[in-house]
Amino acid sequence: MRIHAVDHPLVAHKLSTLRDERTDSPTFRRLADELVTLLAYEATRDVRTETVDIRTPVTATTGVRLSHPRPLVVPILRAGLGMLDGMVRLLPTAEVGFLGMIRDEETLQASTYANRMPDDLSGRQVYVLDPMLATGGTLVTAISELIRRGADDVTAICLLTAPEGVRLMERELSGTPVTVVTASIDERLNENGYIVPGLGDAGDRMYGTVG
């Protein structure tokens, strides 16, 4: 597994505002959207392309376009949904699937409650959107399902990661074609499984608390 923490002043600037507890939900959503587009730029460096013949107003030449099958973008509900627009802005021709996952707050284990993806992902590059790689259980479960369906190149885009989650993914997904692109690898998890210093619960900060 590869992990890439994007080192760029604009990424650091936007992430600092996301961390600030005074940042309201509308501002949080807008900045998360902008940050995802910056991370997606890095995450798609190895997106598969093919050569095409084109004609400019001056002459004939060659260019590139995204190859088929098209990439698949999979936000993990609900917080990952807030990252979708920022991703498809960069990859407008990508197809979109959805995974609804929930974490048991006592056991910290993830379970799937909704699944809208193609049955066969053979030969597909897949980009998974999940704001927080904390304990790692959610992403391990999600990526394992993608690989079971035939995906051969999976990239997870996360706003923040914790070392504990990275270690779990390295252990559980050893030997699989997985990359993690993130704005920061933070210090640790606290006793409740939250990233420190982190930014709190990404879903609640994007959409408010729904009890």
Side-chain angles (χ1 to χ4, degrees):
M1 190 188 84
R2 296 186 302 155
I3 183 160
H4 175 41
V6 178
D7 181 17
H8 191 285
L10 285 179
V11 169
H13 166 73
K14 293 178 190 300
L15 180 57
S16 295
T17 307
L18 289 176
R19 291 188 192 274
D20 193 330
E21 65 180 3
R22 298 169 297 179
T23 300
D24 59 25
S25 289
T27 304
F28 191 98
R29 287 194 298 271
R30 176 177 58 80
L31 288 174
D33 177 82
E34 294 171 359
L35 181 54
V36 169
T37 299
L38 293 174
L39 297 178
Y41 179 80
E42 294 292 332
T44 54
R45 282 188 179 275
D46 296 323
V47 69
R48 294 168 187 163
T49 60
E50 58 190 22
T51 302
V52 294
D53 295 322
I54 59 174
R55 186 166 190 89
T56 76
V58 178
T59 187
T61 187
T62 58
V64 298
R65 66 182 178 193
L66 296 184
S67 58
H68 285 77
R70 289 181 293 171
L72 181 70
V73 177
V74 180
I76 296 180
L77 307 179
R78 71 176 167 146
L81 194 59
M83 302 171 68
L84 181 59
D85 285 350
M87 185 69 190
V88 298
R89 183 177 299 115
L90 204 64
L91 278 179
T93 61
E95 294 182 349
V96 178
F98 296 94
L99 269 177
M101 307 192 74
I102 189 167
R103 186 179 73 162
D104 187 297
E105 296 302 326
E106 293 184 2
T107 66
L108 303 182
Q109 297 299 307
S111 59
T112 302
Y113 66 85
N115 187 329
R116 296 286 291 178
M117 292 190 302
D119 291 330
D120 184 6
L121 296 176
S122 299
R124 299 288 289 271
Q125 285 183 293
V126 183
Y127 297 91
V128 182
L129 309 180
D130 194 10
M132 316 295 280
L133 170 51
T135 62
T138 298
L139 271 177
V140 166
T141 300
I143 292 172
S144 297
E145 175 63 19
L146 294 168
I147 291 174
R148 187 187 70 78
R149 294 179 182 228
D152 66 356
D153 188 336
V154 180
T155 298
I157 300 176
C158 306
L159 303 182
L160 293 180
T161 61
E164 293 90 336
V166 172
R167 288 194 293 268
L168 180 74
M169 289 186 65
E170 288 174 335
R171 183 172 70 248
E172 297 296 324
L173 299 173
S174 176
T176 59
V178 177
T179 300
V180 176
V181 176
T182 184
S184 174
I185 303 173
D186 275 13
E187 296 173 11
R188 59 183 173 86
L189 296 179
N190 66 15
E191 62 278 7
N192 296 316
Y194 282 88
I195 298 176
V196 178
L199 49 74
D201 186 295
D204 286 350
R205 296 202 60 194
M206 284 182 185
Y207 303 117
T209 304
V210 180

